[in-house]
Amino acid sequence: VAWYGAGLIAEDRRLGANLLYFSRPITRLDYLLGKGSGAFAFGFLALTLPCLLVCSVAAFTSPEWSFLVEEWPSILKVILFSGIWVSTVTLLVLTVSSLVGRKSHALIGIIGTIVLTGGVSAVLAQLFQENVFSLLNLFQNFERLGEWMFDRWDSDHDVTIGQTIAALGGFWTTCLLILAIRVRKLEVVA
């Protein structure tokens, strides 16, 4: 997703393609949905499709369709979790791409954002002896969300699922706000 999506908005701005896009009757939402759907499709192929393949094999190989009869919520949970994960990563990729001017810079920014949030959360958690700072780590939030969705949640967590969902919601809000501002500037220039 990062490799494909890194240049979607950055290269449009660098090459002036936004002038062509917004000279047509296209809205900012149409523009973002078009760019996001391409990146989301790659994420779907990389994450959701293999998970559905595993669920299909389990359904077909289980005696008397027991997996499908007894564990059908697992299939829905897999689709929901992977949809949330791919959507969040796609949103991150588009946001970083809107902030920089080249695909290579966007790739560095995407990887840097993921590594930096993980590192900062670990340092702050150690420094202040508070696990609440783990909410800054995007992938730890997804780990906790997955544990909760697939009924593997331990009561030993210092962070609640509500805090995890709020952290992901805050991440989405921040990304959507940045995207709205940056794409509005692209439209105004056009």
Side-chain angles (χ1 to χ4, degrees), residues 18-27:
N18 60 313
L19 300 172
L20 177 63
Y21 286 134
F22 292 118
S23 68
R24 304 278 182 199
I26 184 174
T27 65

Coordinates of all heavy atoms in Angstrom, one line a residue, residues 18-27:
N18 N -3.2 17.9 -10.8 CA -4.4 18.4 -10.1 C -5.1 19.5 -10.9 O -6.3 19.6 -10.8 CB -4.0 18.9 -8.7 CG -2.9 20.0 -8.8 OD1 -2.0 19.9 -9.5 ND2 -3.2 21.1 -8.0
L19 N -4.3 20.2 -11.7 CA -5.0 21.2 -12.5 C -6.0 20.6 -13.5 O -7.0 21.1 -13.8 CB -3.9 22.0 -13.3 CG -2.9 22.7 -12.4 CD1 -1.8 23.3 -13.3 CD2 -3.5 23.8 -11.6
L20 N -5.6 19.4 -14.1 CA -6.5 18.7 -15.0 C -7.6 18.1 -14.2 O -8.8 18.2 -14.7 CB -5.7 17.6 -15.7 CG -6.5 16.7 -16.7 CD1 -7.1 17.6 -17.8 CD2 -5.6 15.6 -17.2
Y21 N -7.4 17.5 -13.1 CA -8.4 16.8 -12.3 C -9.5 17.8 -11.9 O -10.7 17.6 -12.1 CB -7.9 16.2 -11.0 CG -7.1 14.9 -11.2 CD1 -5.9 14.7 -10.6 CD2 -7.6 13.9 -12.1 CE1 -5.2 13.5 -10.8 CE2 -6.9 12.7 -12.2 CZ -5.7 12.5 -11.6 OH -5.0 11.4 -11.7
F22 N -9.1 18.9 -11.3 CA -10.1 19.8 -10.8 C -10.6 20.8 -11.9 O -11.5 21.6 -11.6 CB -9.5 20.6 -9.6 CG -9.3 19.7 -8.4 CD1 -8.1 19.5 -7.9 CD2 -10.4 19.0 -7.8 CE1 -7.9 18.6 -6.8 CE2 -10.2 18.1 -6.8 CZ -9.0 17.9 -6.3
S23 N -10.1 20.7 -13.1 CA -10.7 21.5 -14.2 C -12.0 20.9 -14.6 O -12.9 21.5 -15.2 CB -9.8 21.7 -15.3 OG -9.6 20.4 -16.0
R24 N -12.2 19.6 -14.3 CA -13.4 18.8 -14.6 C -14.3 19.0 -13.4 O -13.9 19.3 -12.3 CB -13.1 17.4 -14.8 CG -12.1 17.1 -15.9 CD -12.8 17.2 -17.2 NE -11.8 16.9 -18.3 CZ -12.0 17.2 -19.5 NH1 -13.1 17.8 -19.9 NH2 -11.1 16.9 -20.5
P25 N -15.6 18.6 -13.6 CA -16.5 18.7 -12.4 C -16.3 17.5 -11.5 O -17.0 16.6 -11.5 CB -17.9 18.7 -13.1 CG -17.7 18.0 -14.4 CD -16.3 18.4 -14.8
I26 N -15.2 17.6 -10.7 CA -14.9 16.6 -9.8 C -14.7 17.2 -8.4 O -14.1 18.3 -8.3 CB -13.6 15.8 -10.2 CG1 -13.3 14.7 -9.2 CG2 -12.4 16.7 -10.2 CD1 -12.1 13.8 -9.6
T27 N -15.3 16.6 -7.4 CA -15.2 17.2 -6.1 C -13.9 16.6 -5.4 O -13.3 15.7 -5.8 CB -16.4 16.8 -5.2 OG1 -16.4 15.4 -5.0 CG2 -17.7 17.2 -5.9

